[in-house]
Amino acid sequence: DAGVTQSPTHLIKTRGQQVTLRCSPKSGHDTVSWYQQALGQGPQFIFQYYEEEERQRGNFPDRFSGHQFPNYSSELNVNALLLGDSALYLCASSSPAGGIYTQYFGPGTRLTVL
Amino acid sequence: SQQGEEDPQALSIQEGENATMNCSYKTSINNLQWYRQNSGRGLVHLILIRSNEREKHSGRLRVTLDTSKKSSSLLITASRAADTASYFCATDAFYNNDMRFGAGTRLTVKP
């Protein structure tokens, strides 16, 4: 049973560029959440997708957008990159059936903005 | 914004000793979960405790929850060098699907 996978593992971009990160959820999961983790900090919630729609959003600007596909995989897009966007981006999947809300995390994508 | 705060920020112990980490949060919660993260990689789920539970065990882990004090503790007994990692608590609220993480406790277990 494959867990949550993310690609790419590492990415280097320059200021002003755009980036797309990808996530495949754990088998049987239909909900995908994205988090940003700056060095030495805890993950910060970006947004969550369910049934191909953004269900909830954290305190992130519109430069951060996403998409969920019919197979439940998801993309995170960041436009007009800033130096402060350098972070580990984590994807987590879950299936809130039964009311138990446990998220399973992927290994993350390390984004460096120069 | 982050919901929880872990205490201490860093903890260094010898192998075989117990490690206790604390987490405080600000708003009412539905569940509280603890995660482990090794060297900036993905988070591994350790244990979930519901708001109506007071204590939960899983192997060498013991979690307590005091909703009146809005706090939780994670105890790792008989620690091993492999337990060296950062530990985070995360909360989710009723009808709110985003999880709020603290800044974590960095645990170092010396062999």
Side-chain angles (χ1 to χ4, degrees):
Chain A
D1 177 25
V4 180
T5 60
Q6 292 186 246
S7 63
T9 305
H10 297 89
L11 204 52
I12 299 175
K13 292 285 188 178
T14 56
R15 280 179 297 175
Q17 285 189 312
Q18 178 264 344
V19 68
T20 297
L21 310 181
R22 296 176 176 81
C23 171
S24 291
K26 183 178 170 64
S27 178
H29 286 182
D30 56 11
T31 302
V32 173
S33 302
W34 286 92
Y35 293 82
Q36 180 195 67
Q37 186 179 22
L39 198 61
Q41 299 296 316
Q44 297 278 323
F45 175 75
I46 302 175
F47 43 53
Q48 184 182 81
Y49 277 84
Y50 173 70
E51 292 187 342
E52 302 180 51
E53 290 192 0
E54 183 183 292
R55 182 160 69 173
Q56 195 151 349
R57 188 179 185 93
N59 189 25
F60 278 80
D62 292 344
R63 298 188 297 110
F64 290 78
S65 63
H67 189 77
Q68 186 178 34
F69 300 94
N71 67 352
Y72 307 122
S73 67
S74 178
E75 288 181 349
L76 164 65
N77 300 292
V78 187
N79 294 322
L81 285 167
L82 304 174
L83 295 179
D85 295 332
S86 295
L88 180 69
Y89 288 85
L90 295 163
C91 167
S93 72
S94 59
S95 180
I100 302 298
Y101 192 63
T102 296
Q103 295 191 336
Y104 293 84
F105 283 80
T109 294
R110 174 74 62 187
L111 173 64
T112 301
V113 182
L114 303 177
Chain B
S1 61
Q2 297 195 297
Q3 157 82 307
E5 291 186 8
E6 286 90 346
D7 171 53
Q9 291 184 342
L11 180 61
S12 182
I13 60 175
Q14 293 294 134
E15 209 166 25
E17 294 181 338
N18 295 339
T20 299
M21 288 160 271
N22 302 298
C23 167
S24 59
Y25 56 91
K26 300 173 183 175
T27 60
S28 296
I29 64 169
N30 187 25
N31 303 299
L32 185 144
Q33 304 184 57
W34 285 90
Y35 286 84
R36 183 186 74 224
Q37 185 178 40
N38 291 84
S39 300
R41 296 183 60 80
L43 280 75
V44 174
H45 181 260
L46 296 176
I47 196 165
L48 177 150
I49 187 166
R50 301 191 198 197
S51 59
N52 62 353
E53 296 177 314
R54 292 296 168 260
E55 187 171 314
K56 206 161 183 180
H57 297 255
S58 177
R60 295 185 295 114
L61 306 180
R62 172 179 172 255
V63 169
T64 62
L65 179 64
D66 187 335
T67 53
S68 67
K69 295 181 179 178
K70 292 187 170 57
S71 67
S72 173
S73 69
L74 170 67
L75 168 67
I76 303 174
T77 60
S79 63
R80 307 166 181 168
D83 294 328
T84 294
S86 291
Y87 291 81
F88 296 90
C89 68
T91 58
D92 65 86
F94 294 99
Y95 308 112
N96 188 340
N97 295 308
D98 68 289
M99 288 174 57
R100 307 288 182 90
F101 286 82
T105 291
R106 191 171 63 253
L107 173 66
T108 302
V109 181
K110 300 176 183 177

